[in-house]
Amino acid sequence: ATLWRGVIREYADRLPTLAGAPVITLQEGGTPLIPAEHLSSLTGANVLVKYEGLNPTGSFKDRGMTAAISVAARNGAKAVICASTGNTSASAAAYATKAGMACAVLVPDGKIAMGKLSQAIAHGATLLQVAGNFDDCLTLARKLAEAYPVELVNSVNPARIEGQKTASFEVVDALGDAPEIHCLPVGNAGNITAYWKGYREYHRDSEQPGPATRLPQMWGFQAAGAAPIVLGHPVDEPDTVATAIRIGNPASWKQAEAARDESGGRIESVTDEQILHAHRVLSSREGIFVEPGSAASVAGLLQAAEAGHVPAGATIVCTVTGHGLKDPQWALRNADGSDVTPTRVPVDAFTAAQALGLDG
Ligand code: F0G
């Protein structure tokens, strides 16, 4: 059997800007596209979930980071820097370690999930908690990368988009065609930009011999408290339980609008309540554990279905971007907001059976 070799080697012919770079990889990509029976029955569509939490550091960022760090290595970089709501920092720290580079990360003070913070620290990054939000962190990171010998690995780095577009290739390779609709959470808007680029490239090349693919509608979803693209203006104090997408002024704003408009798609907002509901549906009905930000794609799909916007029988892919273990606390709350308290029992089969409802 041939083992999966990571996105750069798997899609080398479609990543010309990576040519000649050393391949710094943790064998990212090749993630499952899981048929979601419950979501399909709720929406009347054929829904599949692209489970990006199964990448090496637990989020889709690894696709972009293998590319960004490989290009940084080609440039002779000794150090990289990023701003992050958590996942980018975890990924940058891991890939920088693999490349033997130093890594500095700027995160919003107190607003990143424990799993992500511990990853960055475990991989030896130098971490600064900035007294500001993600947008402030990105401004600071850009300034530092201009003035000092550190390479910026946020999604404003074009290599990041190149790496992340491979997720679209995988979807088309798995389905034999693009889906009719692709749903994504939107934060800094790099990922929707990357997916749209990937779909367009497969579509363009279908003129020549090779896979003939359609173009999907791109449906992006922001958290209601951090929905600048929906509102049409930056949000100064973004706020949402989905800390991954707590962003008020996305760097790829224009590209996200282009993806929406060129594809005939939509960018809408979903409330924290809808996000946590979708999070629960994924874990309790589909067996897929994600972090809250990831659930925005599914929350948005359910919202669109309720509004009657989902065509019957359409093939729809929802990307869920990060693993549930990144930010597990949300699973320990009941739907009414109260804490889950595990039932305690003595070492006794009869009592345990009763507590489990096995007594008939
Ligand atoms: N989902 C998760 C789990 C994320 O971590 C992010 C972004 C997004 C969705 C949104 O993707 O920014 O490309 O629109 N996280 C970045 C970070 C900002 O720093 O980890 P996007």
Side-chain angles (χ1 to χ4, degrees), residues 8 17-25 64-80 95-102 150-153 157 159:
I8 295 178
T17 62
L18 274 285
V23 178
I24 312 295
T25 180
M65 208 52 73
T66 183
I69 298 289
S70 295
V71 168
R74 186 176 63 194
N75 296 345
K78 298 279 182 285
V80 296
Y95 283 81
T97 295
K98 188 77 175 168
M101 291 176 196
V150 286
E151 209 150 296
L152 187 65
V153 293
N157 178 330

PDB file of all heavy atoms in Angstrom, residues 8 17-25 64-80 95-102 150-153 157 159:
ATOM      1  N   ILE A   8       1.587  18.452  -0.035  1.00  0.00           N
ATOM      2  CA  ILE A   8       2.522  18.990  -1.039  1.00  0.00           C
ATOM      3  C   ILE A   8       2.912  17.903  -2.037  1.00  0.00           C
ATOM      4  O   ILE A   8       2.887  18.114  -3.255  1.00  0.00           O
ATOM      5  CB  ILE A   8       3.779  19.589  -0.370  1.00  0.00           C
ATOM      6  CG1 ILE A   8       3.396  20.814   0.476  1.00  0.00           C
ATOM      7  CG2 ILE A   8       4.818  19.977  -1.432  1.00  0.00           C
ATOM      8  CD1 ILE A   8       4.553  21.460   1.211  1.00  0.00           C
ATOM      9  N   THR A  17       4.067  26.950  -7.110  1.00  0.00           N
ATOM     10  CA  THR A  17       4.859  27.907  -6.315  1.00  0.00           C
ATOM     11  C   THR A  17       5.669  27.212  -5.216  1.00  0.00           C
ATOM     12  O   THR A  17       6.508  27.828  -4.582  1.00  0.00           O
ATOM     13  CB  THR A  17       3.971  28.992  -5.674  1.00  0.00           C
ATOM     14  OG1 THR A  17       3.050  28.366  -4.772  1.00  0.00           O
ATOM     15  CG2 THR A  17       3.203  29.779  -6.714  1.00  0.00           C
ATOM     16  N   LEU A  18       5.398  25.939  -5.011  1.00  0.00           N
ATOM     17  CA  LEU A  18       6.156  25.189  -4.007  1.00  0.00           C
ATOM     18  C   LEU A  18       7.373  24.489  -4.612  1.00  0.00           C
ATOM     19  O   LEU A  18       8.165  23.867  -3.898  1.00  0.00           O
ATOM     20  CB  LEU A  18       5.247  24.137  -3.347  1.00  0.00           C
ATOM     21  CG  LEU A  18       4.388  24.531  -2.147  1.00  0.00           C
ATOM     22  CD1 LEU A  18       5.219  24.661  -0.888  1.00  0.00           C
ATOM     23  CD2 LEU A  18       3.598  25.798  -2.387  1.00  0.00           C
ATOM     24  N   ALA A  19       7.495  24.587  -5.947  1.00  0.00           N
ATOM     25  CA  ALA A  19       8.570  23.864  -6.631  1.00  0.00           C
ATOM     26  C   ALA A  19       9.930  24.236  -6.059  1.00  0.00           C
ATOM     27  O   ALA A  19      10.216  25.404  -5.811  1.00  0.00           O
ATOM     28  CB  ALA A  19       8.525  24.174  -8.131  1.00  0.00           C
ATOM     29  N   GLY A  20      10.743  23.242  -5.840  1.00  0.00           N
ATOM     30  CA  GLY A  20      12.104  23.489  -5.372  1.00  0.00           C
ATOM     31  C   GLY A  20      12.223  23.722  -3.872  1.00  0.00           C
ATOM     32  O   GLY A  20      13.326  23.819  -3.343  1.00  0.00           O
ATOM     33  N   ALA A  21      11.091  23.805  -3.185  1.00  0.00           N
ATOM     34  CA  ALA A  21      11.165  23.979  -1.730  1.00  0.00           C
ATOM     35  C   ALA A  21      11.358  22.624  -1.058  1.00  0.00           C
ATOM     36  O   ALA A  21      10.830  21.615  -1.542  1.00  0.00           O
ATOM     37  CB  ALA A  21       9.881  24.639  -1.221  1.00  0.00           C
ATOM     38  N   PRO A  22      12.114  22.586   0.034  1.00  0.00           N
ATOM     39  CA  PRO A  22      12.159  21.336   0.804  1.00  0.00           C
ATOM     40  C   PRO A  22      10.760  21.072   1.344  1.00  0.00           C
ATOM     41  O   PRO A  22      10.018  22.021   1.617  1.00  0.00           O
ATOM     42  CB  PRO A  22      13.131  21.663   1.946  1.00  0.00           C
ATOM     43  CG  PRO A  22      13.096  23.149   2.081  1.00  0.00           C
ATOM     44  CD  PRO A  22      12.808  23.695   0.708  1.00  0.00           C
ATOM     45  N   VAL A  23      10.364  19.811   1.422  1.00  0.00           N
ATOM     46  CA  VAL A  23       8.999  19.522   1.885  1.00  0.00           C
ATOM     47  C   VAL A  23       9.012  19.291   3.400  1.00  0.00           C
ATOM     48  O   VAL A  23       9.518  18.284   3.877  1.00  0.00           O
ATOM     49  CB  VAL A  23       8.420  18.295   1.148  1.00  0.00           C
ATOM     50  CG1 VAL A  23       7.023  17.971   1.678  1.00  0.00           C
ATOM     51  CG2 VAL A  23       8.373  18.558  -0.356  1.00  0.00           C
ATOM     52  N   ILE A  24       8.464  20.266   4.115  1.00  0.00           N
ATOM     53  CA  ILE A  24       8.329  20.126   5.575  1.00  0.00           C
ATOM     54  C   ILE A  24       6.905  19.655   5.841  1.00  0.00           C
ATOM     55  O   ILE A  24       5.950  20.402   5.657  1.00  0.00           O
ATOM     56  CB  ILE A  24       8.561  21.476   6.303  1.00  0.00           C
ATOM     57  CG1 ILE A  24       9.824  22.181   5.808  1.00  0.00           C
ATOM     58  CG2 ILE A  24       8.570  21.255   7.820  1.00  0.00           C
ATOM     59  CD1 ILE A  24      11.123  21.463   6.091  1.00  0.00           C
ATOM     60  N   THR A  25       6.759  18.394   6.227  1.00  0.00           N
ATOM     61  CA  THR A  25       5.408  17.830   6.336  1.00  0.00           C
ATOM     62  C   THR A  25       5.251  16.982   7.590  1.00  0.00           C
ATOM     63  O   THR A  25       6.215  16.382   8.086  1.00  0.00           O
ATOM     64  CB  THR A  25       5.074  16.971   5.086  1.00  0.00           C
ATOM     65  OG1 THR A  25       3.754  16.444   5.227  1.00  0.00           O
ATOM     66  CG2 THR A  25       6.056  15.818   4.898  1.00  0.00           C
ATOM     67  N   GLY A  64      -2.133  24.563   5.151  1.00  0.00           N
ATOM     68  CA  GLY A  64      -1.473  25.809   4.764  1.00  0.00           C
ATOM     69  C   GLY A  64      -0.084  25.927   5.373  1.00  0.00           C
ATOM     70  O   GLY A  64       0.822  26.504   4.766  1.00  0.00           O
ATOM     71  N   MET A  65       0.057  25.359   6.565  1.00  0.00           N
ATOM     72  CA  MET A  65       1.323  25.544   7.274  1.00  0.00           C
ATOM     73  C   MET A  65       2.438  24.708   6.655  1.00  0.00           C
ATOM     74  O   MET A  65       3.590  25.154   6.600  1.00  0.00           O
ATOM     75  CB  MET A  65       1.139  25.201   8.755  1.00  0.00           C
ATOM     76  CG  MET A  65       2.077  25.931   9.666  1.00  0.00           C
ATOM     77  SD  MET A  65       2.104  27.746   9.442  1.00  0.00           S
ATOM     78  CE  MET A  65       0.528  28.227  10.166  1.00  0.00           C
ATOM     79  N   THR A  66       2.126  23.503   6.165  1.00  0.00           N
ATOM     80  CA  THR A  66       3.173  22.721   5.495  1.00  0.00           C
ATOM     81  C   THR A  66       3.730  23.523   4.319  1.00  0.00           C
ATOM     82  O   THR A  66       4.954  23.553   4.099  1.00  0.00           O
ATOM     83  CB  THR A  66       2.654  21.333   5.042  1.00  0.00           C
ATOM     84  OG1 THR A  66       3.735  20.595   4.467  1.00  0.00           O
ATOM     85  CG2 THR A  66       1.524  21.411   4.026  1.00  0.00           C
ATOM     86  N   ALA A  67       2.848  24.241   3.617  1.00  0.00           N
ATOM     87  CA  ALA A  67       3.291  25.038   2.471  1.00  0.00           C
ATOM     88  C   ALA A  67       4.071  26.281   2.923  1.00  0.00           C
ATOM     89  O   ALA A  67       5.149  26.582   2.399  1.00  0.00           O
ATOM     90  CB  ALA A  67       2.082  25.436   1.629  1.00  0.00           C
ATOM     91  N   ALA A  68       3.533  26.986   3.910  1.00  0.00           N
ATOM     92  CA  ALA A  68       4.178  28.236   4.353  1.00  0.00           C
ATOM     93  C   ALA A  68       5.555  27.968   4.958  1.00  0.00           C
ATOM     94  O   ALA A  68       6.516  28.711   4.703  1.00  0.00           O
ATOM     95  CB  ALA A  68       3.289  28.961   5.364  1.00  0.00           C
ATOM     96  N   ILE A  69       5.655  26.904   5.739  1.00  0.00           N
ATOM     97  CA  ILE A  69       6.942  26.610   6.373  1.00  0.00           C
ATOM     98  C   ILE A  69       7.942  26.063   5.340  1.00  0.00           C
ATOM     99  O   ILE A  69       9.146  26.352   5.403  1.00  0.00           O
ATOM    100  CB  ILE A  69       6.764  25.625   7.560  1.00  0.00           C
ATOM    101  CG1 ILE A  69       5.868  26.255   8.639  1.00  0.00           C
ATOM    102  CG2 ILE A  69       8.107  25.201   8.143  1.00  0.00           C
ATOM    103  CD1 ILE A  69       6.482  27.388   9.441  1.00  0.00           C
ATOM    104  N   SER A  70       7.443  25.322   4.374  1.00  0.00           N
ATOM    105  CA  SER A  70       8.348  24.834   3.318  1.00  0.00           C
ATOM    106  C   SER A  70       8.920  25.997   2.509  1.00  0.00           C
ATOM    107  O   SER A  70      10.115  26.019   2.201  1.00  0.00           O
ATOM    108  CB  SER A  70       7.595  23.862   2.399  1.00  0.00           C
ATOM    109  OG  SER A  70       7.216  22.706   3.116  1.00  0.00           O
ATOM    110  N   VAL A  71       8.065  26.970   2.172  1.00  0.00           N
ATOM    111  CA  VAL A  71       8.555  28.146   1.442  1.00  0.00           C
ATOM    112  C   VAL A  71       9.505  28.967   2.318  1.00  0.00           C
ATOM    113  O   VAL A  71      10.543  29.458   1.852  1.00  0.00           O
ATOM    114  CB  VAL A  71       7.375  29.006   0.931  1.00  0.00           C
ATOM    115  CG1 VAL A  71       7.854  30.363   0.439  1.00  0.00           C
ATOM    116  CG2 VAL A  71       6.628  28.265  -0.176  1.00  0.00           C
ATOM    117  N   ALA A  72       9.173  29.087   3.599  1.00  0.00           N
ATOM    118  CA  ALA A  72      10.068  29.810   4.522  1.00  0.00           C
ATOM    119  C   ALA A  72      11.440  29.136   4.559  1.00  0.00           C
ATOM    120  O   ALA A  72      12.479  29.806   4.555  1.00  0.00           O
ATOM    121  CB  ALA A  72       9.454  29.870   5.921  1.00  0.00           C
ATOM    122  N   ALA A  73      11.430  27.809   4.551  1.00  0.00           N
ATOM    123  CA  ALA A  73      12.698  27.067   4.557  1.00  0.00           C
ATOM    124  C   ALA A  73      13.470  27.341   3.264  1.00  0.00           C
ATOM    125  O   ALA A  73      14.696  27.525   3.286  1.00  0.00           O
ATOM    126  CB  ALA A  73      12.438  25.572   4.731  1.00  0.00           C
ATOM    127  N   ARG A  74      12.748  27.359   2.129  1.00  0.00           N
ATOM    128  CA  ARG A  74      13.410  27.661   0.855  1.00  0.00           C
ATOM    129  C   ARG A  74      14.039  29.052   0.881  1.00  0.00           C
ATOM    130  O   ARG A  74      15.104  29.281   0.313  1.00  0.00           O
ATOM    131  CB  ARG A  74      12.399  27.564  -0.292  1.00  0.00           C
ATOM    132  CG  ARG A  74      13.013  27.726  -1.677  1.00  0.00           C
ATOM    133  CD  ARG A  74      11.985  27.531  -2.782  1.00  0.00           C
ATOM    134  NE  ARG A  74      10.926  28.525  -2.737  1.00  0.00           N
ATOM    135  CZ  ARG A  74       9.770  28.435  -3.395  1.00  0.00           C
ATOM    136  NH1 ARG A  74       9.515  27.369  -4.140  1.00  0.00           N
ATOM    137  NH2 ARG A  74       8.863  29.375  -3.302  1.00  0.00           N
ATOM    138  N   ASN A  75      13.357  29.998   1.583  1.00  0.00           N
ATOM    139  CA  ASN A  75      13.868  31.368   1.706  1.00  0.00           C
ATOM    140  C   ASN A  75      14.996  31.499   2.732  1.00  0.00           C
ATOM    141  O   ASN A  75      15.497  32.598   2.953  1.00  0.00           O
ATOM    142  CB  ASN A  75      12.737  32.324   2.114  1.00  0.00           C
ATOM    143  CG  ASN A  75      11.658  32.412   1.050  1.00  0.00           C
ATOM    144  OD1 ASN A  75      11.866  31.987  -0.084  1.00  0.00           O
ATOM    145  ND2 ASN A  75      10.507  32.957   1.423  1.00  0.00           N
ATOM    146  N   GLY A  76      15.320  30.402   3.404  1.00  0.00           N
ATOM    147  CA  GLY A  76      16.375  30.448   4.405  1.00  0.00           C
ATOM    148  C   GLY A  76      15.948  31.045   5.734  1.00  0.00           C
ATOM    149  O   GLY A  76      16.787  31.440   6.549  1.00  0.00           O
ATOM    150  N   ALA A  77      14.651  31.121   5.973  1.00  0.00           N
ATOM    151  CA  ALA A  77      14.152  31.709   7.226  1.00  0.00           C
ATOM    152  C   ALA A  77      14.611  30.890   8.435  1.00  0.00           C
ATOM    153  O   ALA A  77      14.661  29.662   8.386  1.00  0.00           O
ATOM    154  CB  ALA A  77      12.623  31.793   7.197  1.00  0.00           C
ATOM    155  N   LYS A  78      14.947  31.597   9.493  1.00  0.00           N
ATOM    156  CA  LYS A  78      15.320  30.934  10.745  1.00  0.00           C
ATOM    157  C   LYS A  78      14.181  31.007  11.756  1.00  0.00           C
ATOM    158  O   LYS A  78      14.164  30.284  12.753  1.00  0.00           O
ATOM    159  CB  LYS A  78      16.559  31.612  11.353  1.00  0.00           C
ATOM    160  CG  LYS A  78      17.806  31.536  10.477  1.00  0.00           C
ATOM    161  CD  LYS A  78      18.495  30.177  10.624  1.00  0.00           C
ATOM    162  CE  LYS A  78      19.758  30.099   9.788  1.00  0.00           C
ATOM    163  NZ  LYS A  78      19.446  29.929   8.343  1.00  0.00           N
ATOM    164  N   ALA A  79      13.238  31.931  11.499  1.00  0.00           N
ATOM    165  CA  ALA A  79      12.150  32.133  12.461  1.00  0.00           C
ATOM    166  C   ALA A  79      10.879  32.565  11.740  1.00  0.00           C
ATOM    167  O   ALA A  79      10.933  33.225  10.710  1.00  0.00           O
ATOM    168  CB  ALA A  79      12.550  33.200  13.475  1.00  0.00           C
ATOM    169  N   VAL A  80       9.738  32.148  12.286  1.00  0.00           N
ATOM    170  CA  VAL A  80       8.436  32.555  11.744  1.00  0.00           C
ATOM    171  C   VAL A  80       7.598  33.178  12.860  1.00  0.00           C
ATOM    172  O   VAL A  80       7.855  32.963  14.051  1.00  0.00           O
ATOM    173  CB  VAL A  80       7.672  31.369  11.105  1.00  0.00           C
ATOM    174  CG1 VAL A  80       8.420  30.830   9.894  1.00  0.00           C
ATOM    175  CG2 VAL A  80       7.413  30.257  12.124  1.00  0.00           C
ATOM    176  N   TYR A  95       5.007  22.833  12.894  1.00  0.00           N
ATOM    177  CA  TYR A  95       5.745  22.768  11.621  1.00  0.00           C
ATOM    178  C   TYR A  95       7.087  23.484  11.724  1.00  0.00           C
ATOM    179  O   TYR A  95       8.078  23.045  11.109  1.00  0.00           O
ATOM    180  CB  TYR A  95       4.890  23.284  10.460  1.00  0.00           C
ATOM    181  CG  TYR A  95       3.871  22.260  10.024  1.00  0.00           C
ATOM    182  CD1 TYR A  95       2.674  22.117  10.720  1.00  0.00           C
ATOM    183  CD2 TYR A  95       4.128  21.389   8.972  1.00  0.00           C
ATOM    184  CE1 TYR A  95       1.749  21.147  10.353  1.00  0.00           C
ATOM    185  CE2 TYR A  95       3.203  20.426   8.597  1.00  0.00           C
ATOM    186  CZ  TYR A  95       2.023  20.301   9.285  1.00  0.00           C
ATOM    187  OH  TYR A  95       1.118  19.329   8.928  1.00  0.00           O
ATOM    188  N   ALA A  96       7.166  24.571  12.500  1.00  0.00           N
ATOM    189  CA  ALA A  96       8.454  25.238  12.715  1.00  0.00           C
ATOM    190  C   ALA A  96       9.412  24.285  13.424  1.00  0.00           C
ATOM    191  O   ALA A  96      10.592  24.197  13.077  1.00  0.00           O
ATOM    192  CB  ALA A  96       8.264  26.523  13.519  1.00  0.00           C
ATOM    193  N   THR A  97       8.887  23.559  14.395  1.00  0.00           N
ATOM    194  CA  THR A  97       9.712  22.567  15.102  1.00  0.00           C
ATOM    195  C   THR A  97      10.244  21.528  14.122  1.00  0.00           C
ATOM    196  O   THR A  97      11.437  21.200  14.123  1.00  0.00           O
ATOM    197  CB  THR A  97       8.876  21.870  16.197  1.00  0.00           C
ATOM    198  OG1 THR A  97       8.523  22.847  17.169  1.00  0.00           O
ATOM    199  CG2 THR A  97       9.635  20.731  16.843  1.00  0.00           C
ATOM    200  N   LYS A  98       9.355  21.043  13.262  1.00  0.00           N
ATOM    201  CA  LYS A  98       9.750  20.036  12.271  1.00  0.00           C
ATOM    202  C   LYS A  98      10.865  20.567  11.359  1.00  0.00           C
ATOM    203  O   LYS A  98      11.746  19.820  10.939  1.00  0.00           O
ATOM    204  CB  LYS A  98       8.519  19.645  11.449  1.00  0.00           C
ATOM    205  CG  LYS A  98       8.725  18.483  10.509  1.00  0.00           C
ATOM    206  CD  LYS A  98       8.725  17.153  11.233  1.00  0.00           C
ATOM    207  CE  LYS A  98       8.819  15.995  10.238  1.00  0.00           C
ATOM    208  NZ  LYS A  98       9.119  14.724  10.943  1.00  0.00           N
ATOM    209  N   ALA A  99      10.812  21.898  11.094  1.00  0.00           N
ATOM    210  CA  ALA A  99      11.794  22.516  10.190  1.00  0.00           C
ATOM    211  C   ALA A  99      13.032  23.011  10.924  1.00  0.00           C
ATOM    212  O   ALA A  99      13.968  23.500  10.286  1.00  0.00           O
ATOM    213  CB  ALA A  99      11.136  23.688   9.453  1.00  0.00           C
ATOM    214  N   GLY A 100      13.025  22.918  12.245  1.00  0.00           N
ATOM    215  CA  GLY A 100      14.152  23.441  13.010  1.00  0.00           C
ATOM    216  C   GLY A 100      14.189  24.959  13.069  1.00  0.00           C
ATOM    217  O   GLY A 100      15.257  25.568  13.197  1.00  0.00           O
ATOM    218  N   MET A 101      13.029  25.583  12.975  1.00  0.00           N
ATOM    219  CA  MET A 101      12.946  27.051  13.049  1.00  0.00           C
ATOM    220  C   MET A 101      12.369  27.477  14.389  1.00  0.00           C
ATOM    221  O   MET A 101      11.655  26.720  15.038  1.00  0.00           O
ATOM    222  CB  MET A 101      11.988  27.581  11.977  1.00  0.00           C
ATOM    223  CG  MET A 101      12.475  27.433  10.560  1.00  0.00           C
ATOM    224  SD  MET A 101      11.148  27.999   9.462  1.00  0.00           S
ATOM    225  CE  MET A 101      11.731  27.278   7.926  1.00  0.00           C
ATOM    226  N   ALA A 102      12.660  28.733  14.745  1.00  0.00           N
ATOM    227  CA  ALA A 102      12.010  29.319  15.914  1.00  0.00           C
ATOM    228  C   ALA A 102      10.623  29.828  15.501  1.00  0.00           C
ATOM    229  O   ALA A 102      10.388  30.127  14.333  1.00  0.00           O
ATOM    230  CB  ALA A 102      12.849  30.465  16.450  1.00  0.00           C
ATOM    231  N   VAL A 150      11.862  37.801  10.573  1.00  0.00           N
ATOM    232  CA  VAL A 150      10.931  36.697  10.847  1.00  0.00           C
ATOM    233  C   VAL A 150       9.903  36.667   9.738  1.00  0.00           C
ATOM    234  O   VAL A 150       9.453  37.712   9.263  1.00  0.00           O
ATOM    235  CB  VAL A 150      10.192  36.825  12.199  1.00  0.00           C
ATOM    236  CG1 VAL A 150      11.104  36.518  13.368  1.00  0.00           C
ATOM    237  CG2 VAL A 150       9.540  38.193  12.355  1.00  0.00           C
ATOM    238  N   GLU A 151       9.525  35.449   9.313  1.00  0.00           N
ATOM    239  CA  GLU A 151       8.581  35.341   8.200  1.00  0.00           C
ATOM    240  C   GLU A 151       7.153  35.159   8.724  1.00  0.00           C
ATOM    241  O   GLU A 151       6.894  34.344   9.614  1.00  0.00           O
ATOM    242  CB  GLU A 151       8.978  34.156   7.302  1.00  0.00           C
ATOM    243  CG  GLU A 151       8.544  34.396   5.871  1.00  0.00           C
ATOM    244  CD  GLU A 151       9.447  33.718   4.848  1.00  0.00           C
ATOM    245  OE1 GLU A 151      10.646  34.084   4.769  1.00  0.00           O
ATOM    246  OE2 GLU A 151       8.929  32.842   4.132  1.00  0.00           O
ATOM    247  N   LEU A 152       6.242  35.946   8.150  1.00  0.00           N
ATOM    248  CA  LEU A 152       4.835  35.906   8.573  1.00  0.00           C
ATOM    249  C   LEU A 152       4.147  34.680   7.966  1.00  0.00           C
ATOM    250  O   LEU A 152       4.176  34.489   6.750  1.00  0.00           O
ATOM    251  CB  LEU A 152       4.146  37.195   8.115  1.00  0.00           C
ATOM    252  CG  LEU A 152       2.712  37.431   8.585  1.00  0.00           C
ATOM    253  CD1 LEU A 152       2.652  37.612  10.101  1.00  0.00           C
ATOM    254  CD2 LEU A 152       2.129  38.661   7.891  1.00  0.00           C
ATOM    255  N   VAL A 153       3.512  33.856   8.796  1.00  0.00           N
ATOM    256  CA  VAL A 153       2.851  32.653   8.258  1.00  0.00           C
ATOM    257  C   VAL A 153       1.331  32.677   8.452  1.00  0.00           C
ATOM    258  O   VAL A 153       0.683  31.636   8.441  1.00  0.00           O
ATOM    259  CB  VAL A 153       3.464  31.338   8.813  1.00  0.00           C
ATOM    260  CG1 VAL A 153       4.894  31.178   8.305  1.00  0.00           C
ATOM    261  CG2 VAL A 153       3.413  31.272  10.338  1.00  0.00           C
ATOM    262  N   ASN A 157      -0.020  35.240   3.825  1.00  0.00           N
ATOM    263  CA  ASN A 157       1.099  34.609   3.126  1.00  0.00           C
ATOM    264  C   ASN A 157       0.507  33.693   2.039  1.00  0.00           C
ATOM    265  O   ASN A 157      -0.225  32.752   2.341  1.00  0.00           O
ATOM    266  CB  ASN A 157       1.919  33.802   4.151  1.00  0.00           C
ATOM    267  CG  ASN A 157       3.091  33.065   3.554  1.00  0.00           C
ATOM    268  OD1 ASN A 157       3.050  32.666   2.395  1.00  0.00           O
ATOM    269  ND2 ASN A 157       4.119  32.865   4.359  1.00  0.00           N
ATOM    270  N   ALA A 159       1.459  31.279   0.312  1.00  0.00           N
ATOM    271  CA  ALA A 159       1.705  29.837   0.406  1.00  0.00           C
ATOM    272  C   ALA A 159       0.625  29.145   1.245  1.00  0.00           C
ATOM    273  O   ALA A 159       0.257  27.988   0.983  1.00  0.00           O
ATOM    274  CB  ALA A 159       3.091  29.567   0.999  1.00  0.00           C
TER     275      ALA A 159
END
